[in-house]
Amino acid sequence: MSSAFTTTVLQITTGSTETVTDLTQDCEQFLARAASGRDGLLNIFVPHATAGIAVLETGAGSDDDLLATLHTLLPADSRWQHRHGTPGHGRDHVVPALVPPHATLPVIAGRLELGTWQSVCLVDTNVDNADRRVRLSFLG
């Protein structure tokens, strides 16, 4: 593997409630090791059928607003064809179509190039699976 490409996997436990988990510090720590002051791209990927990656403000209510919006758009009821798991779980399998399972972000001089209020977040509405993996990959 080229030194231009470095990857690692984070193990995240999201718990038994729907969550928006801020991964920004994990991304920055990874880049401190992997980027070594270089420019490049950070790819964040969650290899699960019921979770996504979002770039949004956290702590001021936007994370709760996102979960509320997903509830409005994708109610946890019996309308879903996918029926195993908790009632309404089929909606969780639609979430990645709205909150994609990946993001690719610029890295400048080894630092994640985010706006003032932006954070990198794991969005997980699946209360049946609290154990998540998130792959971070730097190319630069």
Side-chain angles (χ1 to χ4, degrees), residues 57-70:
E57 179 181 9
T58 59
S62 297
D63 37 356
D64 292 330
D65 289 343
L66 174 59
L67 293 175
T69 299
L70 291 174

Side-chain angles (χ1 to χ4, degrees), residues 81-96:
Q81 298 295 314
H82 187 103
R83 295 189 187 270
H84 80 270
T86 302
H89 171 67
R91 73 181 281 270
D92 300 325
H93 288 272
V94 178
V95 166

Side-chain angles (χ1 to χ4, degrees), residues 31-56:
L31 290 171
R33 294 186 310 271
S36 301
R38 299 188 317 255
D39 295 346
L41 296 171
L42 174 66
N43 181 265
I44 306 101
F45 176 69
V46 56
H48 297 282
T50 58
I53 300 294
V55 177
L56 74 155

Side-chain angles (χ1 to χ4, degrees), residues 84-140:
H84 80 270
T86 302
H89 171 67
R91 73 181 281 270
D92 300 325
H93 288 272
V94 178
V95 166
L98 300 175
V99 182
H102 59 88
T104 301
L105 304 171
V107 175
I108 307 299
R111 297 194 46 98
L112 194 54
E113 188 75 6
L114 291 172
T116 302
W117 303 111
Q118 290 181 315
S119 296
V120 179
C121 299
L122 170 65
V123 179
D124 188 1
T125 61
N126 183 358
V127 299
D128 294 336
N129 183 4
D131 298 317
R132 298 300 188 168
R133 291 179 294 127
V134 178
R135 179 169 294 280
L136 303 179
S137 300
F138 173 73
L139 178 63

